Amino acid sequence: MGYEFQIVVDSADPHTLADWWAEALQWEVEPQDEDFIRSMVAQGHATDEETTTHHGKLKWKIGTAIRHADRPRVLFQLVPEAKTVKNRMHLDIRVDSAQRAAEVERLTGMGAKVLHEGRQGPFEWVTMADPEGNEFCVA
């Protein structure tokens, strides 16, 4: 038996970045229960400063997640510092090689940047950065 896990991405703006990745991966942003959040504030278990409004809905300021059935959850969490160095771990978006250029174009149109193209033997990929500079590959 192995452990379950989630992937956590540090972020300056977790809700906006989660929206971006949900669209990029064709996943969904996990809903947050506004009534529960309000009740936690009303009971003194949280403060208004720990909440935010995103797309007109009350959310936990600290972060949000995206999900897809039977895949690890990806949590985007608020951190105070900006990204300053290369990621030590990254995601690969795996597509059919015939679709790679179109996918890179779609993601670039959404605000990603192409960093470089790579190849090892028969394998090719494009290394990109999301709107906050987190590296990922389209492979």
Side-chain angles (χ1 to χ4, degrees):
M1 177 176 96
Y3 293 109
E4 289 187 24
F5 68 93
Q6 71 179 357
I7 298 162
V8 180
V9 179
D10 291 348
S11 176
D13 185 354
H15 296 281
T16 300
L17 195 58
D19 289 345
W20 190 89
W21 275 101
E23 184 178 345
L25 296 174
Q26 299 174 13
W27 289 19
E28 67 177 30
V29 176
E30 276 186 358
Q32 292 189 19
D33 187 337
E34 291 180 274
D35 291 335
F36 175 75
I37 295 170
R38 282 187 193 90
S39 74
M40 291 295 98
V41 172
Q43 295 173 46
H45 298 297
T47 66
D48 285 325
E49 291 75 32
E50 294 174 295
T51 69
T52 191
T53 303
H54 183 70
H55 296 308
K57 297 189 180 226
L58 187 65
K59 308 277 185 176
W60 291 114
K61 187 177 189 175
I62 193 81
T64 193
I66 64 173
R67 65 181 178 193
H68 190 283
D70 299 323
R71 296 204 172 96
R73 177 180 192 252
V74 180
L75 174 67
F76 297 85
Q77 70 179 9
L78 181 65
V79 295
E81 69 279 351
K83 181 182 177 305
T84 57
V85 297
K86 182 184 180 311
N87 294 24
R88 295 288 304 217
M89 191 162 117
H90 67 267
L91 302 179
D92 283 353
I93 298 175
R94 298 179 66 192
V95 298
D96 184 88
S97 61
Q99 299 301 319
R100 188 177 305 115
E103 187 63 13
V104 167
E105 184 176 331
R106 180 181 80 89
L107 295 167
T108 302
M110 292 172 49
K113 292 183 174 108
V114 172
L115 300 178
H116 65 278
E117 296 182 16
R119 179 183 185 137
Q120 184 174 26
F123 303 105
E124 296 179 12
W125 63 90
V126 178
T127 301
M128 303 183 76
D130 73 15
E132 287 198 10
N134 300 299
E135 295 92 2
F136 66 96
C137 292
V138 178

